[in-house]
Amino acid sequence: MTEGKEIGTGAPDTAAALSVAATGVWKGLHPGMALAAKGMVLVFVVLSVAFLDQAGVLYSEVRAWIESTLDWYYVLTVCVAVFVSLFLMCSRYGNYRLGDDDARPEFSTFSWLAMLFSAGLGIGLLFFSIAEPLYYLDNSAPGGYPNNPHADRAGALLLDVQRAEHAVRVTYMHWGIHAWSVYVIVGLCLAWFGFRKKLPLTLRSALYPVIGDRIYGTPGHLVDLLAVFGTVFGVATSLGLGVKQMGAGLDTLFGLDPGIVTQIGLIAAISTVATLSAVSGVGRGIRIISEWNVYLTVVLLGFFLFFGPTQWLLGFFATTAGDYLWAVIPMGFWTAADDATETWQSNWTVFYWGWWISWAPFVGMFIARISRGRKLREFVAGAMFVPTGLGVFWIALLGGNAIHLELWADGGAGTAGIMDLVRGGNLEAALYGTIASMSHLSWLVWLISALATFLLATWFITSSDSGTLVITTMLSMGDDHPPQRFRVVWGLGQGLVAAVLLLAGGLQALQTASIVAALPVSIVLLFMMYGLLRSLALDSGAVTATAGSAQTD
C-alpha cells in the first residue's frame, strides 16, 4: 500500500479484485462470499438446534467470561467511540464531503433521519422504554443484585421521584449517545472509504489504511462474514423476541392466543412485507415505511403526553435530560467495584454495549448507504444527537407515565401492577399495562394498543429490510443496488432462521452468541477509528476541495 493511493482514489486496480460474478447463478455477487455466508448460517443454526442445551451453555459461559473479565474494555471502547465522534464533529474535518466535492444528499433530512432511527432503535425503544426504567426504579433486588447501583450510590433508596430520575438517567445512557457513537463510527468509516475513496461499500474497506490491498483477500472476507453473522442473527433473534410482544398485543386486542402459532404467523407476515420493501429499494419502500413510522410515533407520543400528567412529564423530561447531559461522561466511564454491582453492570451496561457493537456493522452500513453527499459534521450531529434527543423524549414520556402510575398508586408506591409485570419477567406486557392504566375510555385504550402493536411490526420491518439490503450489499462487494433475487433469498431467510430458532427454543442462545461476536467486532472497530483518523489527516485533497467549495454550500 502506498500513501498516495490511500489519500486519493482507493478503487482496486482491476475488476478482478472484487471477484463479482458477471454471469451465471451468482451474477452480481461474490460467489465465494455468498456460499460461505449461507454455509455459515446453515451450520450455525443446525448445530445450535441439534445441540441446543450444550450450545446455550457454551455461549453463556463465553459471554459470562467476556462480561466479567472485559467489562472495562467494553466501557473504554465505547467511550473512545464517543470522544472520536465528538472530535470529528468539531474538527476541521467536519466540512469534508462523504463523496465527491460536488456530491449532495440523495434524501431529504427528514427522510434520512427517519430511516436511520428506524434501522437503529425503533422497536427496541417500544419494548424497553417502560420495562427498563421500572426495573431500575424497583428497589426489591429480585435478581439477587442491586437493580440500580447508580441510584444506590447516590443514596436514592426509596421508591420516590429521586430514584425515578436515576432510573431514567441510566436508561438514557444505554440508549443515548454511547449507542449512537458506535453506529456513527462504523457508518462514517464506510461512507468515507466507500464514497470518498471509491472502495467497496463493505466493512472491509474501513481497514484499507491498516492492511491495504489485503482487504480483497481472506482478511477482508472474514471481516465481512463477521458483519453478515451479526446482521442475520441479530435481526433474526430480535424478530423472534419481538413477536412475543406483538403476540401480547394481539391477545390484548382480540383475545388471540399469543403462543407459538401466532408468533410464527407474525414472523411470516413481517418477513414477507420486509422482503418486498427491500426489493423495492431504499428510495421507495424503506424510505416510505420509515417516514410513516415517525408520523405514527408522533401520535403515540402525543397520547402519552396529553393523556398522562402532562405538566409533570414535561418537568420530568427537562430535569432528567439535564441530569443526563451533566452525568453522561462519568456514568459512561464508571466500572463496578464489587461482585453485586459487577453482576448488574455485566447484565445491563456491558450487555448493551456488546449488543450495539454487534449491530454496528448492520446499522452503520445502512446509515452509510443513505448518507452519500452529506458533510462529515452533519453526519455525526444528525446520527448522534437527533436520535438521542428523540429517544430521551420517548423514554421520558412512556417510562415517565409508568413511573408516575407506580409512585402515586392508590395502594402506595409500587402497587400499580406494572412493576410487578417487569419483576416477574413479563416485559412485553408492560407497555400494554401502562396504556390500559392511562384512560377509562376502553375504545381509546384499544386504539392506542392497536397503534403500538402496529408500530412494533412496522419498526421491525424497517430493521429487517435494512438488514437484507446490508447483507446483499456486502455479498455483492459494495453494490448499493444489489440483485433483487438475492434480496428475496436473504429477506425470507432471516425470517426462516427466526422461525426455526423460535420453534427449537434457541433464540436466547443465539442472542447470546451475537453478543459474543461483539468482541471481534470491537477490535475491528478500534482499527476502523485509527484508519479513519489516519486517512482524514493525510487527505490533503479534501482540505483543498473544502476551501474551494465553501462559497457554494
Side-chain angles (χ1 to χ4, degrees):
M1 181 184 70
T2 64
E3 297 295 345
K5 183 175 180 181
E6 201 285 318
I7 294 175
T9 299
D13 296 328
T14 65
L18 297 178
S19 300
V20 174
T23 60
V25 68
W26 299 110
K27 181 180 179 181
L29 295 184
H30 186 294
M33 285 288 293
L35 282 170
K38 289 183 174 65
M40 173 187 65
V41 171
L42 180 62
V43 169
F44 210 86
V45 171
V46 169
L47 291 179
S48 295
V49 171
F51 304 98
L52 185 62
D53 293 337
Q54 297 93 323
V57 171
L58 175 63
Y59 304 153
S60 296
E61 288 179 349
V62 175
R63 174 186 161 186
W65 179 85
I66 290 173
E67 292 179 342
S68 62
T69 307
L70 299 176
D71 52 348
W72 63 270
Y73 167 75
Y74 275 71
V75 167
L76 187 60
T77 298
V78 174
C79 285
V80 169
V82 171
F83 281 102
V84 170
S85 299
L86 294 175
F87 165 74
L88 291 174
M89 184 182 69
C90 299
S91 72
R92 64 187 177 91
Y93 308 127
N95 285 327
Y96 290 10
R97 287 276 179 195
L98 300 177
D100 297 330
D101 293 327
D102 59 352
R104 291 299 180 269
E106 178 181 0
F107 303 101
S108 70
T109 300
F110 173 74
S111 296
W112 177 63
L113 292 172
M115 286 190 285
L116 70 87
F117 189 82
S118 294
L121 295 182
I123 190 172
L125 276 177
L126 270 173
F127 193 93
F128 284 106
S129 57
I130 290 175
E132 190 172 344
L134 285 186
Y135 181 89
Y136 300 146
L137 176 66
D138 192 0
N139 59 2
S140 65
Y145 56 85
N147 283 54
N148 188 349
H150 292 281
D152 295 347
R153 289 168 60 238
L157 304 176
L158 303 177
L159 289 181
D160 56 17
V161 173
Q162 184 184 9
R163 188 173 179 88
E165 291 171 352
H166 281 278
V168 294
R169 186 190 304 170
V170 176
T171 311
Y172 294 163
M173 182 184 71
H174 289 159
W175 293 84
I177 64 171
H178 287 80
W180 281 98
S181 67
V182 175
Y183 295 161
V184 161
I185 291 296
V186 176
L188 188 56
C189 285
L190 293 171
W192 176 259
F193 289 106
F195 301 142
R196 185 81 190 187
K197 299 302 181 182
K198 312 304 180 187
L199 290 165
L201 188 61
T202 67
L203 198 66
R204 70 180 71 205
S205 296
L207 298 181
Y208 190 88
V210 181
I211 63 176
D213 287 334
R214 283 180 292 171
I215 65 170
Y216 302 112
T218 300
H221 296 339
L222 292 176
V223 168
D224 281 353
L225 286 174
L226 183 63
V228 171
F229 178 94
T231 302
V232 170
F233 292 112
V235 171
T237 51
S238 295
L239 175 57
L241 296 172
V243 294
K244 293 184 177 181
Q245 189 172 29
M246 296 177 215
L250 293 178
D251 182 27
T252 299
L253 296 170
F254 307 109
L256 192 64
D257 179 13
I260 193 69
V261 175
T262 298
Q263 293 173 26
I264 295 297
L266 286 169
I267 287 177
I270 291 171
S271 298
T272 300
V273 176
T275 300
L276 292 173
S277 176
V279 168
S280 69
V282 176
R284 298 181 63 187
I286 296 176
R287 177 185 62 82
I288 293 170
I289 296 175
S290 297
E291 289 177 354
W292 275 100
N293 278 347
V294 173
Y295 297 143
L296 294 176
T297 296
V298 170
V299 176
L300 182 68
L301 295 180
F303 168 80
F304 278 91
L305 176 61
F306 296 113
F307 283 82
T310 304
Q311 185 174 349
W312 185 87
L313 287 170
L314 292 175
F316 187 67
F317 164 68
T319 299
T320 54
D323 287 345
Y324 169 64
L325 292 175
W326 182 260
V328 62
I329 299 301
M331 286 180 66
F333 277 108
W334 178 79
T335 55
D338 57 72
D339 291 342
T341 54
E342 185 178 273
T343 301
W344 178 89
Q345 186 169 43
S346 296
N347 287 350
W348 288 97
T349 302
V350 177
F351 167 81
Y352 270 124
W353 289 180
W355 190 242
W356 301 143
I357 291 172
S358 70
W359 270 62
F362 150 45
V363 180
M365 167 74 80
F366 181 74
I367 296 175
R369 166 63 184 81
I370 63 176
S371 301
R372 186 198 301 266
R374 294 193 179 274
K375 289 186 176 181
L376 188 152
R377 180 175 293 112
E378 178 187 13
F379 178 97
V380 176
M384 192 169 178
F385 293 109
V386 175
T388 294
L390 179 57
V392 166
F393 188 61
W394 183 320
I395 293 166
L397 292 189
L398 273 68
N401 268 287
I403 286 171
H404 190 273
L405 288 168
E406 288 290 354
L407 292 184
W408 283 276
D410 292 338
T415 64
I418 308 169
M419 189 183 296
D420 289 335
L421 293 172
V422 176
R423 191 178 294 148
N426 194 9
L427 305 184
E428 59 268 17
L431 172 63
Y432 299 102
T434 302
I435 293 172
S437 300
M438 289 180 59
S439 176
H440 297 295
L441 301 174
S442 57
W443 64 269
L444 181 61
V445 169
W446 189 94
L447 190 63
I448 297 301
S449 297
L451 175 60
T453 304
F454 182 73
L455 277 171
L456 282 167
T458 56
W459 278 117
F460 190 83
I461 286 169
T462 53
S463 293
S464 181
D465 56 19
S466 304
T468 299
L469 190 66
V470 164
I471 292 168
T472 50
T473 297
M474 285 189 285
L475 296 182
S476 63
M477 293 296 288
D479 182 0
D480 52 9
H481 297 286
Q484 291 186 342
R485 64 187 183 281
F486 295 111
R487 299 186 216 178
V488 174
V489 170
W490 283 98
L492 297 179
Q494 290 177 100
L496 181 60
V497 168
V500 170
L501 294 174
L502 184 63
L503 287 169
L507 282 171
Q508 292 288 357
L510 263 295
Q511 184 184 43
T512 299
S514 297
I515 300 301
V516 171
L519 180 58
V521 174
S522 69
I523 298 172
V524 174
L525 180 68
L526 292 173
F527 280 110
M528 291 173 73
M529 286 188 276
Y530 163 77
L532 177 63
L533 291 171
R534 184 170 183 267
S535 180
L536 288 166
L538 294 173
D539 198 321
S540 57
V543 176
T544 302
T546 300
S549 61
Q551 301 301 319
T552 63
D553 289 342

